[in-house]
Amino acid sequence: MIDQYGRTISYLRLSVTELCNLRCRYCMPEDGICKKDHSEMLTEDEMICAVKAAAFLGIHKLRITGGEPLVKKNILSICERAAAVPGIEDVCITTNGTLLPGLAEGLKAAGVKRINISLDTLDEEKYRYITRRGHFDEALAGIEAAVAAGFDKIKINAVLIGGFNDDEIPRMAELTVKYPVDVRFIELMPMYDSGEFGPSAYVPGQKVLDILPQLSETPQDGGVARLYHLPGAQGNIGLINPLSRHFCGSCNRIRITADGQIKPCLHREAEYSIKGMDEEQMIAQIKKAVAAKPEWHGDLSSEHRSHAGRNMNQIGG
Ligand code: SAM
Ligand code: SF4
């Protein structure tokens, strides 16, 4: 599929649940979310139907996300069935990692090739603070389980938050020396009502380069992160700068939320429902959504909040 701005759309991010076992302060409110009625959410069969419809239209990369996808009881079945859809070449997952010790091997066997694990701090107390309930040891055990399971690629995602973890940039970057992983620093995006952090929490990705002058540029992989390398490291450092250097011009993705809304753009309100539809109807909706992809996500800065109309756990990142 090629949209009206000449961008090839080949990547689907499918959120399988809004629920999460953590409550990260930048992502969702403390009291969780108003749990929607089961009947409003996509069933497993509808998710697989949506993947088939997307693959028919030329999507070949699929990322499973959430909420926390690993709290979904049928996550292995979803991954396995999605990986078997003709045309889907690459199934990856984004997780907070805490449930990986019990699931990493199963995910690998189900056909998940690459895994992104979110981790914003290496300090137990700060981890508890930012996630409002998590245990750092469980996240670390998750990373180790992923390394042991032998995924093709493991990326650690850290959201940069001024006054919270910007002092940990060197330690976080060192994870690329200790483990065969990439570490990616993501600029904080001001979402709908996860507004706990004011403008001072925004840290531009450039700060990582200022703090780590020993980083060298490395060949780029065509993804949204600009890649660098620490001397002696096993993996790369990535900078994802949606605010200071947005990548809308090369956007190749659409998103489907757990309640069955296609979002042509992460930071826009427009949504196209596929709930209750058959594959043919879903194909038509995906085409409509791609035709409606805006040129860019609109003003997004520490002063201009996202127009997504949802928090990140209800979109999938
Ligand atoms: N629960 C999984 C996890 O945490 O990896 C998957 C869903 S989570 C919504 C996906 C990604 O979005 C995570 O890497 C998270 O750090 C990121 N994220 C959530 N809210 C964000 C925000 N306001 N700004 C930047 N990234 C955000
Ligand atoms: Fe849950 Fe992921 Fe959001 Fe944290 S970032 S609250 S782990 S969905």
Side-chain angles (χ1 to χ4, degrees), residues 26-27 65-68 94-96 118 159 187-189 191 312 316:
Y26 47 75
C27 179
T65 178
E68 174 48 46
T94 297
T95 169
N96 62 39
S118 303
V159 178
E187 288 177 352
L188 178 66
M189 292 179 264
M191 299 305 290
M312 211 60 116

Side-chain angles (χ1 to χ4, degrees), residues 50-124:
V51 174
K52 284 183 183 158
F56 174 80
L57 291 169
I59 298 283
H60 53 78
K61 175 176 168 185
L62 175 69
R63 176 169 300 282
I64 306 283
T65 178
E68 174 48 46
L70 302 191
V71 302
K72 187 94 178 152
K73 289 206 171 51
N74 51 347
I75 188 63
L76 293 180
S77 169
I78 294 172
C79 291
E80 191 171 4
R81 290 177 66 191
V85 169
I88 296 297
E89 295 160 11
D90 192 7
V91 178
C92 358
I93 200 161
T94 297
T95 169
N96 62 39
T98 54
L99 299 174
L100 276 175
L103 282 166
E105 282 183 11
L107 290 169
K108 178 94 195 318
V112 174
K113 291 189 183 154
R114 299 183 293 126
I115 194 153
N116 289 0
I117 303 175
S118 303
L119 183 71
D120 303 321
T121 174
L122 296 171
D123 179 278
E124 167 69 45

Side-chain angles (χ1 to χ4, degrees), residues 3-5 7 241-251 255 264-270 290 292-301 304-308:
D3 76 358
Q4 58 172 325
Y5 302 102
R7 298 170 297 196
N241 299 340
L243 276 68
S244 66
R245 188 188 169 135
H246 73 79
F247 27 81
C248 302
S250 58
C251 183
R255 296 172 168 81
C265 173
L266 166 60
H267 292 299
R268 299 282 187 137
E269 215 158 2
V290 167
K293 254 181 94 65
E295 188 170 11
W296 77 304
H297 54 45
D299 281 335
L300 184 69
S301 67
H304 294 95
R305 305 194 80 71
S306 168
H307 304 289

